[in-house]
Amino acid sequence: MVDWVFSDTLVSYTDAEAQMEAHVADMIAGTAKERIWCLEHPPLYTAGTSADASDLIGPDRFPVFTSPRGGQYTYHGPGQRVVYTMLDLNMRGKDVRQFVQKLEYWVIATLGEFGITGHVRDGRVGVWVERPDKATLLDGAMREEKIAAIGIRLRKWISFHGISINIDPDLDHYAGIIPCGISGHGVTSFADLGLTFSMQDFDIVLQKTFHDIFESA
């Protein structure tokens, strides 16, 4: 059984990292269960292991944290559901690619419950939404906007870090970075797409789709 934890107040990034490290250590020692931790951070940027310093446009706008997760620069802040996934791949198949695909499917299934069609794209990490209602890119391609980011780390086949999904964050806060090193396409959120609901309502759906993707036979 997975232990679900929900934080009702903003959690600092350093506190979150420390708690994840401690819980993963306990899982490796065999004294703790798998955990999914749902929370919100105060406004901040994180730089993953592939981050390019030139993608940090506004270094003084918010605190910047170096993160051991994979990926590049991303933003976290109020209105964004951060989901830290501390799962044991020793029991779930030691296949990193399959695990990341399941995280993508989980996000896409959750979006689908709200009537949003999510996509994954070669060469672009995360989950994207097509925006035919907006002007095309300079090359004529349809504009797509990122609604969810994915970045994980493994230790002895235990995962931590995870995904973040934009419910109703201040999208202007993304202006200090090139999100995930990708120019041209933008970012979006449920609210930007015209959907309004509570974080608690979202969490109910998130738990349902997790069961569908990760625990169904």
Side-chain angles (χ1 to χ4, degrees), residues 9-191:
T9 59
L10 299 180
V11 180
S12 76
Y13 191 76
T14 52
D15 285 349
E17 277 207 317
Q19 291 189 49
M20 276 193 289
E21 289 280 353
H23 190 80
V24 168
D26 288 344
M27 288 179 65
I28 292 171
T31 60
K33 297 190 298 184
E34 294 182 303
R35 172 172 290 177
I36 293 178
W37 184 14
C38 297
L39 56 93
E40 294 172 80
H41 285 305
L44 58 91
Y45 299 129
T46 64
T49 55
S50 303
D52 184 334
S54 65
D55 290 337
L56 182 60
I57 301 170
D60 300 323
R61 187 165 187 177
F62 298 121
V64 181
F65 297 91
T66 300
S67 173
R69 63 160 174 81
Q72 302 184 47
Y73 280 101
T74 194
Y75 165 77
H76 295 310
Q80 180 191 77
R81 182 47 103 204
V82 175
V83 186
Y84 287 136
T85 54
M86 289 158 271
L87 300 175
D88 188 352
L89 271 64
N90 291 288
M91 302 187 301
R92 295 177 177 275
K94 295 181 178 180
D95 189 326
V96 179
R97 184 185 296 272
Q98 181 186 70
F99 178 62
V100 172
Q101 286 178 339
K102 280 195 169 185
L103 292 176
E104 293 170 340
Y105 296 157
W106 182 22
V107 173
I108 289 170
T110 303
L111 296 178
E113 292 287 321
F114 292 93
I116 298 173
T117 302
H119 303 271
V120 292
R121 299 300 191 210
D122 290 340
R124 284 195 261 138
V125 180
V127 178
W128 300 78
V129 176
E130 295 179 345
R131 298 304 302 266
D133 55 315
K134 292 194 173 183
T136 60
L137 300 181
L138 293 177
D139 63 0
M142 181 186 298
R143 186 174 298 276
E144 298 181 343
E145 295 181 330
K146 191 170 189 176
I147 196 168
I150 298 174
I152 64 164
R153 183 172 176 81
L154 296 178
R155 180 174 300 145
K156 295 187 182 297
W157 292 102
I158 305 293
S159 72
F160 55 122
H161 294 273
I163 63 179
S164 58
I165 304 172
N166 290 341
I167 308 302
D168 188 14
D170 186 338
L171 296 181
D172 288 340
H173 288 179
Y174 279 91
I177 58 172
I178 298 177
C180 301
I182 298 167
S183 300
H185 298 284
V187 291
T188 191
S189 67
F190 280 79

Side-chain angles (χ1 to χ4, degrees), residues 203-215:
D203 291 338
I204 291 170
V205 176
L206 191 70
Q207 288 179 284
K208 172 190 177 297
T209 52
F210 177 85
H211 177 79
D212 294 343
I213 299 298
F214 284 91
E215 297 180 340

